[in-house]
Amino acid sequence: MTRPPATLRDFYENPAVPVASGAARSRRQARLLARALGPVRTGAPPATILDIGCGDGSAAAVAAEVLTGHRLVGVDWSQDALRRARTRIPWAVRGELTDGGLPFATGSADAVLFSEVIEHLVDPDTALDELRRVLRPGGHLMLSTPNLAAWYNRGLLLAGVQPVFSEVSMRGIHGRPGTQVVGHLRLCTARALRGFLTASGFEAVRIAGAPYHDVPRPLRPLDRAACRVPSLASILLAHARRAGG
């Protein structure tokens, strides 16, 4: 979403680069937001929800099944991703988090979904400023991102192995498990994420844990169990509100 160097833009325009997260995680995040928004009231206007960094629209399509009665708009700067998103969701528009910002008025959104985007950003500070701008006071931010301190990463670091989710090259995998380059530039722990959101003008920050769909099958029960302690979980799910509401 933040305008990167040309080589990084080319990376994300490559159709082979993954632009979707797990459906189960998207559904859980949508349910958390549905509870926060409350039931749709008869005669009341629908809530406007922006899926910033919607990728191919698959996560937004899953969320729309849960967030019935609300208006869900996908936003991405990748033209290839948007072409695919428009086959899955009614509204998908091009937008960036810098260089003029998102194509929405200040305070026009009731909620923002920001799923597995922040780890790809060159300038996350400006990105959070822009998300705060488009949210109404008290509006909801639902953010998910991989956890640098996931239970298995702690063991890998002790063994001198590069943590899962982290990358040292955009051209190949070096020193960590996995076979696919996904373009992660930044990773955080639960404590760091909470502090970053608070410093960026958000309040009532709550963090939950979610499993990672690529964990080897024999380890998945352990990965699900780790979600009970968010600081150990594979994925961090943060719910915060724009301060001032």
Side-chain angles (χ1 to χ4, degrees):
M1 293 298 300
T2 300
R3 184 181 293 276
T7 53
L8 192 54
R9 179 178 289 277
D10 292 344
F11 175 83
Y12 288 115
E13 289 289 3
N14 181 352
V17 172
V19 289
S21 57
R25 187 158 65 252
S26 299
R27 189 171 291 108
R28 182 179 178 192
Q29 192 174 41
R31 285 172 178 158
L32 290 172
L33 179 56
R35 285 199 294 269
L37 290 171
V40 179
R41 290 173 294 177
T42 303
T48 296
I49 303 166
L50 307 179
D51 184 0
I52 308 295
C54 67
D56 66 4
S58 57
V62 170
E65 296 172 0
V66 178
L67 296 163
T68 54
H70 300 300
R71 182 171 181 258
L72 184 61
V73 182
V75 186
D76 210 288
W77 61 256
S78 168
Q79 296 287 12
D80 177 76
L82 285 171
R83 280 192 292 270
R84 288 182 274 171
R86 288 171 182 141
T87 67
R88 294 183 170 97
I89 54 178
W91 299 287
V93 300
R94 192 174 187 280
E96 302 198 21
L97 289 166
T98 57
D99 295 332
L102 296 167
F104 303 101
T106 298
S108 59
D110 298 287
V112 164
L113 292 170
F114 203 48
S115 304
E116 268 106 302
V117 177
I118 199 167
E119 64 270 17
H120 298 270
L121 299 182
V122 174
D123 184 2
D125 300 281
T126 299
L128 267 290
D129 289 345
E130 184 62 3
L131 297 185
R132 186 176 183 279
R133 181 190 70 81
V134 299
L135 278 169
R136 63 169 172 79
H140 302 273
L141 172 65
M142 305 296 301
L143 182 154
S144 64
T145 189
N147 182 11
L148 175 60
W151 60 276
Y152 40 80
N153 278 346
R154 299 183 185 213
L156 291 173
L157 277 170
L158 286 174
V161 178
Q162 185 79 12
V164 175
F165 308 125
S166 66
E167 294 179 324
V168 298
S169 170
M170 302 293 285
R171 299 177 181 176
I173 300 298
H174 301 285
R176 72 158 171 84
T179 59
Q180 194 168 42
V181 176
V182 293
H184 290 174
L185 304 179
R186 299 177 183 275
L187 291 174
C188 60
T189 65
R191 180 181 297 180
L193 180 59
R194 184 186 301 277
F196 180 44
L197 291 174
T198 301
S200 299
F202 293 90
E203 60 187 11
V205 180
R206 296 187 294 275
I207 295 180
Y212 178 45
H213 59 274
D214 254 0
V215 166
R217 189 174 296 276
L219 297 178
R220 289 179 186 176
L222 184 56
D223 193 43
R224 289 192 294 271
C227 294
R228 299 170 188 167
V229 183
S231 62
L232 296 175
S234 287
I235 305 294
L236 302 173
L237 299 180
H239 174 208
R241 303 192 73 171
R242 178 189 161 179

